[in-house]
């Protein structure tokens, strides 16, 4: 099989860990960009990337580049592509557009112009044209315009890869699965200790943590990928890739535990964990973190997404002060990581973070912070080394 270039799209701050994921999977010629990583692989690797990448939102396959300063040049450039290679007149398609250009400032207009160029080509050559289907198209086309540079790619993934397939129900402020996986990887989580999410909501961080610990492909529970509708779809190759990935899974000898004070959240988390076939590894208990204490003897890693007043009404000062007190008093020998978009609230924790990493939770600029809680005093910890 011949190699070709692909682009994996990601969230801000995850470019480096996505590049590492790609190299570990066997990608060639890996280069980081902004919210994207370019790489080279064959069709089998395209399947593998979609199945296994934890921090990718999309995997795109570029097919053409050209320059356009106006809508006429855009139309002509799209028409130079032989669309019959990728689509037949009886199929459906949709166009997604990303713009960073003064010449083009309406994504819907660019999508419409692209659509016109494609259907006009089919009408001229075949007398009939493919239709638009925004929900379940046979082909998803990505148009990216940076100033006057137009890049056209086929979307190999379809729906964003954060749709893992296990999360049927969520709570009021669920965390994106790709954001959850990225936070875990940035925290250094590989399955090396006991793990806890003390405010687990619908269980996303627990599920992603278990999949990392057991080396289970991130999208093994997903129902479909866009490439399954392509003319060159190879189901035998796809099954071979799945078998190869599943042979590399491993057991996890520690505990994965979730807490949440809301009974509805606990029920949702348990259902999602069951959907992911991970109930043997994860337990979820109804409890208030502020009334809890560390139950295990060895090292413990906490990673969580506390509320920060955007969608859940809370007394921020009191909440974050209690959070800090609970960590200090009840969780010795623990490495605690959490994300917040409320940077003022961090002042109330009463602990100095040893790391602060800038991320975005949706459109909210956030920080992933790390606190190291030592068994005994910090001073004693370093005297004993």
């Amino acid at each position: 099989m011949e190699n070709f270039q692909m682009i994996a799209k990601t969230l801000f701050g995850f470019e480096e860990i996505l590049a590492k994921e790609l190299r570990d999977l066997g990608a060639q010629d890996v280069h980081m960009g902004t919210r994207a990583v370019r790489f080279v692989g064959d069709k089998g690797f395209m399947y593998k990337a979609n199945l296994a990448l934890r921090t990718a939102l999309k995997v795109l396959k570029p097919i053409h580049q050209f320059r356009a300063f106006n809508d006429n040049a855009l139309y002509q450039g799209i028409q130079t592509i032989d669309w019959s290679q990728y689509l037949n007149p009886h199929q459906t398609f949709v166009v997604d557009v990303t713009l960073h250009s003064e010449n083009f400032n309406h994504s819907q207009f660019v999508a419409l112009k692209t659509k016109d160029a494609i259907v006009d080509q089919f009408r001229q050559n075949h007398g009939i044209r493919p239709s638009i289907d925004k929900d379940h198209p046979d082909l998803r086309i990505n148009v990216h315009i940076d100033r006057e540079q137009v890049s056209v790619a086929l979307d190999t993934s379809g729906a964003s890869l954060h749709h893992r397939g296990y999360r049927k129900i969520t709570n009021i402020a669920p965390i994106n699965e790709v954001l959850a996986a990225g936070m875990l990887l940035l925290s250094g989580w590989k399955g090396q200790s006991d793990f806890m999410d003390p405010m687990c909501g619908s269980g996303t961080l627990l599920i992603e943590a278990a999949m990392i610990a057991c080396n289970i492909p991130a999208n093994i529970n997903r129902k479909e990928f866009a490439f399954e509708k392509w003319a060159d779809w190879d189901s035998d190759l796809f099954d071979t890739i799945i078998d190869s990935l599943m042979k590399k899974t491993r057991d996890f000898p520690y505990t994965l535990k979730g807490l949440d004070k809301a009974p509805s959240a606990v029920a949702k988390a348990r259902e999602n964990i069951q959907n992911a076939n991970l109930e043997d590894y994860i337990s979820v208990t109804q409890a208030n973190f502020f009334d809890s204490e560390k139950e295990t003897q060895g090292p413990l890693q906490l990673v969580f997404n506390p509320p920060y007043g955007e969608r859940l009404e809370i007394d921020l000062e009191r909440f974050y002060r209690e959070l800090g007190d609970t960590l200090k008093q009840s969780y010795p020998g623990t490495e605690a990581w959490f994300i917040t978009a409320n940077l003022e609230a961090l002042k109330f924790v009463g602990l100095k973070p040893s790391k602060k990493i800038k991320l975005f939770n949706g459109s909210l600029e956030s920080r992933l912070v790390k606190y190291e809680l030592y068994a005994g005093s910090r001073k004693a910890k370093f005297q004993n080394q």
Side-chain angles (χ1 to χ4, degrees):
M1 284 184 290
E2 66 178 60
N3 282 348
F4 49 88
Q5 191 179 82
M6 288 172 268
I7 302 167
K9 307 285 280 183
T10 191
L11 299 171
F12 174 90
F14 290 170
E15 297 90 348
E16 205 167 309
I17 50 176
L18 176 55
K20 183 181 186 307
E21 278 197 274
L22 281 160
R23 289 190 191 101
D24 289 348
L25 276 181
Q28 300 172 35
D29 207 14
V30 177
H31 295 285
M32 284 187 289
T34 304
R35 296 187 178 88
V37 181
R38 290 181 175 270
F39 63 99
V40 169
D42 60 14
K43 183 162 68 174
F45 192 84
M46 180 181 79
Y47 295 171
K48 188 198 281 191
N50 275 283
L51 280 161
L53 289 174
R54 303 185 193 282
T55 55
L57 294 164
K58 294 264 185 189
V59 178
L60 304 177
K61 180 182 179 181
I63 56 170
H64 191 49
Q65 276 196 333
F66 60 94
R67 294 166 81 84
F69 295 90
N70 55 43
D71 56 338
N72 187 52
L74 172 67
Y75 179 92
Q76 297 299 332
I78 297 295
Q79 279 234 318
T80 61
I81 301 167
D82 178 6
W83 287 103
S84 65
Q85 291 182 68
Y86 313 109
L87 195 61
N88 74 55
H90 304 288
Q91 289 182 302
T92 59
F93 73 99
V94 72
V95 180
D96 298 321
V97 175
T98 311
L99 296 177
H100 305 285
S101 173
E102 291 180 5
N103 301 316
F104 302 94
N105 48 25
H106 291 292
S107 58
Q108 284 184 322
F109 176 78
V110 171
L112 186 64
K113 208 70 186 168
T114 302
K115 184 264 300 181
D116 288 347
I118 294 168
V119 300
D120 288 352
Q121 185 184 101
F122 275 98
R123 215 184 264 115
Q124 289 156 13
N125 295 341
H126 303 278
I128 53 173
R129 48 153 286 186
S131 304
I132 296 293
D133 183 340
K134 292 181 179 177
D135 297 321
H136 300 289
D138 294 309
L139 189 69
R140 191 172 279 273
I141 299 159
N142 185 280
V143 175
H144 182 277
I145 305 181
D146 186 3
R147 293 179 287 273
E148 69 277 356
Q149 188 69 35
V150 182
S151 302
V152 184
L154 306 183
D155 184 341
T156 78
S157 307
S160 169
L161 291 175
H162 81 272
H163 293 293
R164 306 282 206 227
Y166 59 73
R167 198 167 76 176
K168 304 292 190 295
I169 48 176
T170 63
N171 56 356
I172 194 170
I175 192 166
N176 175 301
E177 291 88 334
V178 165
L179 177 59
M183 284 168 54
L184 289 159
L185 293 172
L186 285 173
S187 79
W189 173 250
K190 293 175 186 168
Q192 67 276 26
S193 68
D194 293 320
F195 180 93
M196 183 169 142
D197 179 348
M199 301 173 191
C200 71
S202 53
T204 307
L205 275 159
L206 289 167
I207 293 167
E208 295 294 327
M211 293 180 96
I212 291 168
C214 299
N215 201 33
I216 297 166
N219 289 302
I220 196 68
N221 297 298
R222 190 175 157 111
K223 294 291 182 282
E224 65 175 7
F225 299 94
F227 54 68
E228 293 178 53
K229 293 183 176 181
W230 292 8
D232 68 348
W233 161 239
D234 188 335
S235 59
D236 291 338
L237 175 61
F238 185 69
D239 290 343
T240 301
I241 297 293
I242 288 179
D243 289 344
S244 162
L245 288 168
M246 292 307 288
K247 279 176 185 163
K248 293 173 184 165
T249 59
R250 55 182 176 246
D251 207 10
F252 176 66
Y254 302 102
T255 63
L256 283 153
K257 184 169 182 179
L259 303 180
D260 204 286
K261 66 179 186 179
S264 59
V266 170
K268 288 170 187 173
R270 285 174 178 162
E271 186 169 335
N272 291 333
I273 290 161
Q274 197 169 7
N275 291 337
N277 301 303
L278 292 169
E279 59 268 38
D280 290 349
Y281 295 98
I282 306 168
S283 65
V284 180
T285 305
Q286 185 192 342
N288 186 338
F289 174 55
F290 300 153
D291 299 327
S292 73
E293 59 184 26
K294 186 181 176 191
E295 295 176 353
T296 53
Q297 291 301 309
L300 174 67
Q301 186 151 341
L302 262 64
V303 184
F304 58 110
N305 175 36
Y308 27 91
E310 281 292 322
R311 286 180 279 186
L312 292 166
E313 291 280 326
I314 55 167
D315 179 340
L316 280 171
E317 182 173 345
R318 182 181 169 191
F319 180 89
Y320 279 85
R321 188 166 280 128
E322 282 192 64
L323 194 160
D325 289 347
T326 305
L327 289 174
K328 275 183 284 192
Q329 294 160 17
S330 304
Y331 281 85
T334 297
E335 191 176 290
W337 295 75
F338 67 82
I339 188 170
T340 183
N342 196 313
L343 305 187
E344 286 296 305
L346 288 176
K347 296 175 184 174
F348 305 122
V349 174
L351 292 162
K352 189 173 181 186
S354 57
K355 265 192 183 176
K356 274 188 189 179
I357 302 170
K358 180 179 172 181
L359 298 174
F360 283 86
N361 189 350
S363 60
L364 300 172
E365 184 179 321
S366 307
R367 294 293 182 275
L368 177 63
V369 290
K370 175 188 181 184
Y371 296 96
E372 295 176 68
L373 294 314
Y374 299 101
S377 71
R378 186 185 175 100
K379 186 177 175 184
K381 159 88 176 175
F382 286 102
Q383 283 175 343
N384 292 334
Q385 282 184 348

